[in-house]
Amino acid sequence: MCAIVGVYGAEDAAKIAYYALFAMQHRGQESTGISSADGKRIHLIKKRGLVTDVFDEETFKLLKGPCAIGHNRYSTAGDDSILDAQPVFAKYKLGEMSVAHNGNLINKNEVREQLIDKGAIFQTGMDTENIIHLVAKSQEEKLEARIKDMLTKIEGAYCLAIQSRKKMFVIRDRFGIRPLSLGKLKNGGWIVASETCAFDLVGAEFVRDIEPGEMLTFEEGKEPYSEQIFEPDYHPCAFEYIYFARPDSIIDGKNVYNTRLEMGRQLAKETPADIDLVLPVPDSGVAAARGFAEGLGVPFEMGIVRNHYVGRTFIEPTQEIRELKVKLKLSPIKELIAGKRVAIVDDSLVRGTTSKQIVKMLKEAGAKEVHMRIAAPEIKFPCRYGIDTPTKMELISTTNTPEEIAQKMNAESLGFLSIEGLKSSLGSDRTYSLVSFDGNYFAGGNANSPGCSDC
């Protein structure tokens, strides 16, 4: 998941990066960081915590220069050390560089072992550190050539912002799995961000999506230079539309909210229910629930109140924290629910922790019946491209039928959107990455292949 931003040619580059990261806080809450470049050196501040906790006016006095890159970290299982925060900074033969990375390198372990055999010393478990070493150890004379050399040695999903003291390089992998867009700032500078909602906050004009396999080079006094490094094999991640992205973002020309609305309508066609009321799991289930209610012709109500000061349960690293945060995070409105047959609509079902707790809450609030509907297909396969589903054993749909899951949840029924229904909602103009649903690891190998470091 994660969020990256790159700003070039702006007087307050670090502040613009700050606001962009604030807009994309939903993509990661464990740590955040910004590095700026003033032509002579790179300045870096990164810490654990939210964007508003890490940066203040004093930090911006240190983050000088017209170029800045930033990162919000999305935590999967594993270490949560400050060493794993980004951007990652290093001094090397050509000077200084800083790297922000969104994605997951599937050949991380293989590359790391090769680098260690050649004397490399690692401080973190991040695949991003591989990128730093590959660039530093390249025998090419210029940074741009070193970056291209590095790109030939990594595989998987990545959006990269690489900063030197005077330039910025932005790269998207040939599959285009994670989103990345280019915008124009009012003062003439440029911004690149994981989601277009960042442009709205800083007043930037959307220019276009970065193409899969494309590298953009930003240099003082010049327009961004585009080079197609790899032949595109476009497989944008369907989960961006289902869960990750903010509903006001535009990804690959599609508004996320409208796409989720269509998923809900399609869900109503495929798995209707005899109910009195439709409730969403806030916030990412809202659009799909509205579409589901429209499709059935029954009332839609915001019958569950969310405490927005508690982070997403899906991206917390331990099961114990997830279970506690469900109770802290969601509260039903009893007056709306008591005596009603309700359908609760969520965006996806991974482990079942949240859904089970919600069904229990609704029945304790007096719901006569609770029908669970999921506006995505069953998640049966681990994703090696950056989603926090590292093993099949954690995926409830891998070992249980919908009927069995409904019984475990004490729900009257459970229905999923079909894979074909999802494709219909997304449109036929792209071949989307659906690996979590169909197990098609299009980049080669399968869920048990050596390259799948997260399986």
Side-chain angles (χ1 to χ4, degrees), residues 337-401:
I337 296 164
K340 301 285 182 61
R341 299 169 301 167
V342 303
I344 181 74
V345 179
D346 206 352
D347 55 85
S348 57
L349 185 67
V350 181
R351 301 171 179 88
T353 302
T354 301
S355 299
K356 184 176 181 179
Q357 294 279 355
I358 289 173
V359 171
K360 182 180 179 182
M361 283 181 186
L362 293 175
K363 292 204 168 182
E364 288 177 347
K368 186 177 179 180
E369 296 178 6
V370 178
H371 300 265
M372 177 68 67
R373 292 296 181 268
I374 307 298
E378 297 173 77
I379 299 175
K380 293 187 174 183
F381 300 90
C383 178
R384 61 178 182 173
Y385 300 119
I387 299 176
D388 184 17
T389 53
T391 67
K392 281 191 175 184
M393 294 306 297
E394 288 189 77
L395 306 176
I396 193 168
S397 290
T398 299
T399 54
N400 296 273
T401 66

Side-chain angles (χ1 to χ4, degrees), residues 152-204:
T152 65
K153 296 177 172 62
I154 63 174
E155 298 175 10
Y158 55 84
C159 289
L160 297 171
I162 301 177
Q163 177 187 60
S164 70
R165 290 171 292 185
K166 295 183 179 181
K167 295 182 180 182
M168 183 175 76
F169 304 87
V170 175
I171 309 104
R172 193 178 183 194
D173 69 78
R174 65 188 176 98
F175 303 113
I177 297 170
R178 298 282 156 241
L180 194 64
S181 299
L182 173 68
K184 182 79 170 178
L185 295 165
K186 290 181 179 179
N187 67 356
W190 299 90
I191 181 171
V192 174
S194 296
E195 288 190 39
T196 60
C197 61
F199 299 166
D200 298 333
L201 184 58
V202 301

Side-chain angles (χ1 to χ4, degrees), residues 307-437:
N307 182 341
H308 287 266
Y309 297 95
V310 181
R312 285 183 169 188
T313 57
F314 175 52
I315 63 175
E316 288 293 341
T318 66
Q319 186 70 11
E320 291 79 7
I321 293 176
R322 291 187 194 101
E323 291 177 355
L324 173 63
K325 284 199 171 181
V326 171
K327 297 177 183 178
L328 296 174
K329 183 177 172 181
L330 303 172
S331 299
I333 301 176
K334 295 181 180 180
E335 288 74 12
L336 286 175
I337 296 164
K340 301 285 182 61
R341 299 169 301 167
V342 303
I344 181 74
V345 179
D346 206 352
D347 55 85
S348 57
L349 185 67
V350 181
R351 301 171 179 88
T353 302
T354 301
S355 299
K356 184 176 181 179
Q357 294 279 355
I358 289 173
V359 171
K360 182 180 179 182
M361 283 181 186
L362 293 175
K363 292 204 168 182
E364 288 177 347
K368 186 177 179 180
E369 296 178 6
V370 178
H371 300 265
M372 177 68 67
R373 292 296 181 268
I374 307 298
E378 297 173 77
I379 299 175
K380 293 187 174 183
F381 300 90
C383 178
R384 61 178 182 173
Y385 300 119
I387 299 176
D388 184 17
T389 53
T391 67
K392 281 191 175 184
M393 294 306 297
E394 288 189 77
L395 306 176
I396 193 168
S397 290
T398 299
T399 54
N400 296 273
T401 66
E403 293 75 19
E404 289 170 340
I405 299 171
Q407 188 174 11
K408 289 175 184 289
M409 291 179 178
N410 196 29
E412 271 62 42
S413 70
L414 170 64
F416 292 88
L417 183 64
S418 68
I419 291 178
E420 289 306 314
L422 175 60
K423 290 179 179 179
S424 175
S425 302
L426 293 172
S428 58
D429 56 329
R430 293 280 183 259
T431 301
Y432 289 89
S433 171
L434 305 171
V435 296
S436 296
F437 314 121

Side-chain angles (χ1 to χ4, degrees), residues 21-34:
L21 290 176
F22 178 82
M24 299 186 291
Q25 187 73 84
H26 60 285
R27 295 188 70 88
Q29 296 95 39
E30 182 169 304
S31 63
T32 188
I34 295 174

